[in-house]
Amino acid sequence: MKIAFLGLGDIGHLMASHLARDPFDLVVWNRTALKSEDFARTHKARVAATPADAVRDAAVVITCLPSSIEVEAVLHGENGMLDALRKGAVLVDCTSGDPPTSRSIAAELGGRGVEFIDAPVSGGTIAAKAGSLTVMWGGETTVFDRVRPVIEAFGKKIVHAGPVGSGDALKAVNNALLAVHILSAAEGLAILVKAGVDPKVALDVINASSGRSNSSENLIPQRVLTRAFPRTFRLALLEKDIGIAAVMADDLDARTPLLSLTAERFHEARERLGEEADHVEAVKMVEQENGIEIK
């Protein structure tokens, strides 16, 4: 089975590594060609010069890009893949995209005899390396069954969210909650530090009580208390995801003031900390505003 994988970023190159083996015949493409060449030197894969070259004759095409904007670009841009996709192929978009664009792409491809599934992933670089990502997908079950062996190569918990766009919707809300938890934990600990409570002691209690979250149990102890702040997932991408959730809320006339406020705060954090900051570094904004460090 020929697989084309487009997008070898922090998560994408780890996902693609699980497809660089039999029974798959893997072709890779990345906007920065050096990444594709580096990948092919260490994995069983061929490098394509353009998106069109990558997808030609591929049964399954996987895109793992920063946003739906980039997916549209590799479809319709110069040397784009739209006209090269073979009839009967399936495009699996693992981008954390926006539902309206995914539905639009699905409709366009459907008119050409190409199937589409939105299948964003969660679990970060650790799960991507282990091949144990959570995959939330939207689309038709009959289509998914054709690509199941491919997705099972890098996914462990695989969940059907609903029709096309549902996977993107679920991923956006999941990441919106992540953003809320990071800021709420940081603000709570800022209060406690100013009150003279050791944040290690505070987290010991919080994580044995009802206030716990992945942020308090893992992210803050491992990244904030240590001051390590490893760059595993850009803050700018999390801002994009919570922005998708906020737009969805507006479109659906849902009242979500907390998510809207968090979207504003992450926009502020990106402007303060820059495009390359990790998502957990949003804690630094809270620290700066309160004149403390959580350590």
Side-chain angles (χ1 to χ4, degrees):
M1 180 186 290
K2 180 179 176 182
I3 311 294
F5 199 106
L6 293 82
L8 299 174
D10 292 337
I11 299 291
H13 86 276
L14 296 170
M15 294 167 62
S17 70
H18 298 289
L19 299 170
R21 56 177 173 80
D22 293 336
F24 308 118
D25 175 20
L26 182 65
V27 179
V28 297
W29 175 86
N30 193 73
R31 287 175 297 174
T32 305
L34 183 60
K35 286 189 176 181
S36 299
E37 293 161 2
D38 287 344
F39 184 89
R41 273 193 285 271
T42 54
H43 298 87
K44 182 185 174 185
R46 292 174 287 120
V47 175
T50 68
D53 291 337
V55 307
R56 196 165 281 115
D57 299 324
V60 180
V61 176
I62 300 174
T63 45
C64 188
L65 298 165
S67 73
S68 293
I69 294 171
E70 287 79 10
V71 178
E72 289 273 27
V74 298
L75 269 173
H76 301 113
E78 185 178 1
N79 295 311
M81 62 182 180
L82 183 62
D83 291 331
L85 287 165
R86 82 179 198 191
K87 187 175 290 188
V90 181
L91 172 56
V92 180
D93 184 21
C94 293
T95 304
S96 296
D98 64 86
T101 301
S102 287
R103 289 191 290 268
S104 174
I105 291 172
E108 180 178 21
L109 294 183
R112 292 169 169 258
V114 177
E115 304 288 355
F116 178 89
I117 286 175
D118 57 300
V121 300
S122 184
T125 54
I126 293 174
K129 186 175 183 178
S132 59
L133 288 165
T134 296
V135 183
M136 56 216 84
W137 64 275
E140 296 294 332
T141 303
T142 53
V143 177
F144 178 82
D145 287 341
R146 291 163 52 192
V147 300
R148 180 182 292 276
V150 178
I151 293 178
E152 286 180 342
F154 53 77
K156 183 178 180 181
K157 187 176 182 65
I158 300 170
V159 180
H160 186 201
V164 168
S166 300
D168 289 335
L170 182 51
K171 177 63 186 289
V173 171
N174 175 77
N175 278 16
L177 295 177
L178 166 63
V180 169
H181 295 161
I182 289 171
L183 287 184
S184 61
E187 290 183 4
L189 289 170
I191 295 170
L192 293 172
V193 168
K194 297 189 86 165
V197 179
D198 185 328
K200 298 182 185 67
V201 173
L203 286 170
D204 186 43
V205 172
I206 290 167
N207 290 333
S209 305
S210 56
R212 67 186 182 278
S213 67
N214 181 60
S215 295
S216 69
E217 290 182 323
N218 296 302
L219 298 181
I220 290 177
Q222 295 169 10
R223 305 183 182 201
V224 179
L225 296 187
T226 62
R227 312 309 292 174
F229 293 106
R231 292 188 167 177
T232 60
F233 177 47
R234 287 195 297 125
L235 186 153
L237 292 178
L238 184 54
E239 183 211 357
K240 178 262 298 180
D241 291 339
I242 191 169
I244 292 172
V247 170
M248 284 170 50
D250 287 342
D251 290 344
L252 296 168
D253 198 25
R255 188 172 182 276
T256 56
L258 179 57
L259 294 189
S260 297
L261 176 58
T262 305
E264 292 174 12
R265 290 287 281 160
F266 262 79
H267 178 71
E268 184 179 357
R270 180 175 63 81
E271 289 194 325
R272 287 193 189 188
L273 301 171
E275 295 296 323
E276 298 305 315
D278 185 74
H279 66 301
V280 181
E281 291 184 75
V283 172
K284 291 181 179 179
M285 178 179 70
V286 177
E287 292 177 326
Q288 292 166 4
E289 291 170 342
N290 286 282
I292 54 95
E293 281 192 347
I294 300 168
K295 63 181 182 178

